[in-house]
Each structure stands twice: as structure tokens, then as C-alpha cells.
Amino acid sequence: MNTMESAAVVGSMLGIVFARQQLSNLARFVGGGKATREPETPHRLECDYLVVGAGAASLAFVDTLLTELPRAEVVIVDRHDAPGGHWNDAYDFVRLHQPSIVYGLASRKLEGSWLWNFLQCRAPWKHRANKSEILAHFTSGVRDWVKSGRVRYYPRCEYDFSQPEAVHSEGGTLRRFRSCDGSTEYTALVRHKVVNGTVGEPLIPALCPLPFPVDPWGVEVITPNDLAASKKR
């Protein structure tokens, strides 16, 4: 298992543990009779949790939270185009090094239907999902949450953790985030907590500057992402 996948697995497990620790505290904020302080608009939101990042850890947290407290309201902010965190940038040939049954969202089977696996003479506990399967797994989860009205998902957006905390007069805090191109800004009244799902986020070589000097004359440097893509051409 490489470092990136190890961090993702640990993050997913920590997301579930953190969610369970927060449930008793969240109960007094959700579940009935909460009043909207001001009318919501497309750019002014209210939620119980504002989750920054849509990677494995963040989505595992949201999945457990919604399972235990179905009436919780969550806003997810992520700079990627789709759910899945670093898997959006991973090499196309990468797959899990551990069984799929111990990764992803607890509420759905990343390995697929056990009956179908058995009919195909495959052991579901040996299934190791590839990149496309993992992204489809996370995308379907977020899509279903959004359809249920419990989650609002904002891709291609970023949250500034250095912003000052503005306490609302009737409880909760006001937080702001904006689209990555800076064209739209949103204000969210967070009744309970902002969850930073980007802690421990792995560095993607293809998206980072080189940590060493390169002779500009006749030397071409590419990442494994480009190497895998070149085989398709």
C-alpha cells in the first residue's frame, strides 16, 4: 500500500470515528423545531455542518452522520469537479491495495453486489476497486444525499480557513466560501461545526512544483500521470 492510499484509508476510518463522537453534541441542534433566522437564498445557506473537502475522510464522516442523524443538514465544499478528493488526480492505472469492503462509504458496497460477485465466481472480499469504480462510488453517494435534500454540494469552490469567525446573535457562526474562479461568494450559517476534511491531504506530484532544479535546455520532466496518458496515444 503506498503512502497516498494509506492516508486515504486512515482518513476514512477517522472520519467515521469523528462522526460518532460528534453525534450526541449535534442532537441538540437538529431533529426538530429549528428556526431559520433569515430567509435562505442561493448564496445564503444554513446547515448543521459545513464540510470542507469531498475526499474519503470527509465523505465517510458525512455518510456516518446521515446514517445516525438522518435530519442533519450538511454543506460540502470542494475544489475538485467531482467527489473523491485525490482520486480525481490519481493515475488511471491505480487501484486499491486492500479489499474494497474496508474502504469508502459504509452505507453502500464498493465491491458491488455479493450475489453478482458469486455468480461471476469472484470472492467479494478480494475485490480491489480501481479509480473509476472509486469515483463512481463517491459520486453516487453524494448524488443520493443531494436528492434527499440533506446535503448541498458545491464543487469547484474553496474555503479560507484564515477568515475570522463571526458569531451569529442567535447562535451558530457565519462562514464564507467562494467559487475557485472568484465569481461567486456564499455565506453559510453553521449551527454546529466546520469540519476540515483537508487535514493530511496528500500532495499530488502532477499539481505541485518540482522540488529540485531542472536544466531548461533539452530536459523534459513528466509525472507518472503523463506517462500513463502517453501510452494511450
Side-chain angles (χ1 to χ4, degrees):
M1 185 185 303
N2 59 37
T3 303
M4 183 180 297
E5 290 182 342
S6 298
V9 173
V10 172
S12 179
M13 296 175 65
L14 288 177
I16 296 174
V17 172
F18 179 72
R20 295 189 181 278
Q21 290 176 338
Q22 294 293 321
L23 293 178
S24 59
N25 295 331
L26 182 60
R28 64 189 179 91
F29 287 89
V30 299
K34 61 176 181 284
T36 300
R37 280 81 171 186
E38 301 174 24
E40 285 196 332
T41 68
H43 297 159
R44 190 195 180 284
L45 317 166
E46 287 193 19
C47 62
D48 299 303
Y49 272 73
L50 174 63
V51 179
V52 183
S58 300
L59 298 183
F61 167 79
V62 174
D63 185 55
T64 302
L65 181 68
L66 296 178
T67 298
E68 300 293 337
L69 287 175
R71 297 177 67 179
E73 297 179 358
V74 180
V75 168
I76 300 176
V77 178
D78 188 68
R79 67 174 181 268
H80 288 96
D81 293 332
H86 78 274
W87 285 104
N88 287 283
D89 306 306
Y91 316 138
D92 292 339
F93 54 82
V94 169
R95 66 171 61 240
L96 292 176
H97 283 259
Q98 76 277 2
S100 301
I101 60 174
V102 296
Y103 191 83
L105 307 178
S107 64
R108 56 188 64 221
K109 296 181 175 64
L110 176 56
E111 71 276 11
S113 166
W114 280 45
L115 175 59
W116 178 250
N117 274 279
F118 285 135
L119 290 175
Q120 297 295 313
C121 298
R122 296 193 299 253
W125 51 87
K126 292 185 178 181
H127 181 273
R128 295 184 296 114
N130 58 34
K131 174 182 176 179
S132 61
E133 290 174 321
I134 293 169
L135 289 176
H137 173 76
F138 288 131
T139 298
S140 64
V142 173
R143 182 183 62 241
D144 291 346
W145 297 338
V146 172
K147 285 183 178 179
S148 73
R150 299 177 294 172
V151 170
R152 277 168 287 187
Y153 170 58
Y154 292 86
R156 297 180 297 279
C157 287
E158 55 188 2
Y159 178 88
D160 182 8
F161 284 97
S162 66
Q163 64 180 274
E165 181 178 298
V167 179
H168 195 277
S169 59
E170 298 183 22
T173 58
L174 292 174
R175 306 294 183 136
R176 290 178 172 82
F177 62 93
R178 64 179 59 193
S179 58
C180 290
D181 61 10
S183 62
T184 308
E185 182 172 282
Y186 303 87
T187 299
L189 173 57
V190 183
R191 288 185 285 265
H192 189 61
K193 192 177 183 66
V194 175
V195 177
N196 183 3
T198 65
V199 174
E201 184 178 26
L203 296 177
I204 307 300
L207 304 179
C208 299
L210 294 175
F212 48 83
V214 177
D215 188 335
W217 302 101
V219 177
E220 181 181 4
V221 179
I222 63 174
T223 66
N225 303 62
D226 300 321
L227 185 62
S230 67
K231 293 181 179 180
K232 299 179 180 179
R233 295 194 294 265

